[in-house]
Amino acid sequence: MTDESGPRFGSSDLALPEALRGPLKAHLQQLREAYGRRQWAGRVGFGQRPAVIVIDLAKYWVDPQQQIGAMLEPIVESTAKLLNTARQTGIPIFYTNYARDPAHPPSPHDKKQFMSLPIENDAIWELDPRLERLPSEKIVLKRYASAFKGTNLLDMLTMLRVDTLIVTGVSTSHCVYATCRDATDCFHVIVPREAVGERCEIAHEVFLHDIDVDLGDVMPLTEVIRHLETRNARAK
C-alpha cells in the first residue's frame, strides 16, 4: 500500500503531477522489494551513542520567498520534536549552516545554479527559532553539500564516541544525501522520514528511497523518538 497523497512540503512548481504520484510511489516500493530479494536494504539499526545533526534549517532555506527556499513547515516542526527528545535524553545535537565568504574562489559548480546570497550577518542566515538551539549545541559551517567535507564534524563526533548519526533537515537530494553518504562507513545512519525534506517532490522520493536501500535506515519519526526514550529509560 502506497501513500498517493501530495507532499505537505516543497515548492508547488516542482511537485509531481497528480497522475504520476501514485505510480511513482508504487514503483519505488516494487524496487525496494526487488533490492530486498538481492539482499540489499538491510537494517543497520541504532548503535549505543547517538547524535542528531540538523542540516540547513536556517531561514534562507525555509522561507519560500527566497530563491532557494521552499515551504518546509512540517520538516521544521518534526525536527523540533526530535530535538526536544534529544535534549531530554542527553543526546548531542549539531547544526549545519552555510560558510558564507565572498572572498572564497569560484568553483566550476557555481555555473550550475545562480545563488543570490545575502551578506554574512544578514538575519536570513539565522536558524529557524522553532528549533530553539541552545548555546551548547554546535553549529558546523560548511561550503559543500556534506556536513563532513571541509569541516571538523568527524573529529567532534569521534571525541564524543558517537556511533549513530540521526540525520534531519534539507534537502533530501543534496545535503542530507551527501551527509548520509559520507557518514555511512563510520556510523549507523538513521533518517526520520518526517524530519527531512526537499523543494522537489520527485527528488525527495527517489533519494529517500536510495538512502533506505543503500546508506541507512529511513524510519518513522515516532519510532526514532520511541527508541531514544526507551534507551534513556534503560540507562537510568
Side-chain angles (χ1 to χ4, degrees):
M1 176 75 73
T2 59
D3 179 9
E4 297 185 13
S5 62
R8 298 170 54 238
F9 56 86
S11 299
S12 59
D13 61 330
L14 300 176
L16 273 166
E18 293 289 338
L20 295 181
R21 182 173 295 113
L24 172 72
K25 291 188 175 182
H27 179 59
L28 288 174
Q29 179 60 33
Q30 292 168 2
L31 284 178
R32 193 184 186 288
E33 293 168 359
Y35 273 111
R37 291 192 292 271
R38 289 166 170 78
Q39 298 187 337
W40 284 40
R43 301 293 85 186
V44 299
F46 286 84
Q48 300 300 313
R49 299 180 70 90
V52 176
I53 187 160
V54 181
I55 307 290
D56 295 351
L57 287 185
K59 296 177 184 177
Y60 183 57
W61 289 276
V62 303
D63 180 358
Q65 302 305 312
Q66 297 296 317
Q67 174 219 2
I68 203 169
M71 200 294 287
L72 296 166
E73 299 289 308
I75 312 307
V76 175
E77 293 167 1
S78 294
T79 300
K81 290 180 183 177
L82 177 64
L83 294 180
N84 183 54
T85 300
R87 293 181 186 117
Q88 292 176 357
T89 56
I91 294 168
I93 296 170
F94 296 84
Y95 303 83
T96 71
N97 209 336
Y98 186 61
R100 173 81 168 98
D101 183 359
H104 195 278
S107 161
H109 183 259
D110 295 342
K111 295 181 179 180
K112 292 299 296 180
Q113 57 193 39
F114 173 77
M115 293 176 61
S116 179
L117 296 173
I119 59 176
E120 294 93 322
N121 60 354
D122 194 293
I124 203 70
W125 294 114
E126 296 175 2
L127 294 175
D128 191 293
R130 289 169 291 182
L131 301 175
E132 298 183 333
R133 175 195 168 244
L134 300 177
S136 58
E137 296 168 356
K138 176 70 174 177
I139 297 177
V140 178
L141 298 180
K142 64 183 180 69
R143 286 198 61 86
Y144 306 100
S146 172
F148 290 94
K149 184 177 179 179
T151 75
N152 67 337
L153 176 61
L154 180 59
D155 296 343
M156 292 186 288
L157 295 175
T158 301
M159 292 172 196
L160 294 170
R161 294 187 292 155
V162 167
D163 64 3
T164 302
L165 194 60
I166 303 172
V167 183
T168 70
V170 298
S171 63
T172 313
S173 65
H174 288 80
C175 298
V176 169
Y177 183 84
T179 298
C180 290
R181 171 63 67 186
D182 282 353
T184 192
D185 292 322
C186 299
F187 302 97
H188 299 248
V189 175
I190 305 294
V191 178
R193 179 180 296 275
E194 297 89 342
V196 295
E198 166 73 54
R199 61 187 67 83
C200 175
E201 184 180 359
I202 191 171
H204 171 75
E205 294 294 344
V206 170
F207 277 82
L208 200 62
H209 162 83
D210 194 64
I211 290 170
D212 194 51
V213 165
D214 192 35
L215 304 180
D217 294 354
V218 177
M219 54 196 303
L221 175 66
T222 53
E223 291 186 16
V224 178
I225 289 176
R226 186 182 307 117
H227 173 86
L228 298 182
E229 291 174 339
T230 303
R231 169 187 173 275
N232 189 60
R234 289 197 305 265
K236 291 182 179 179

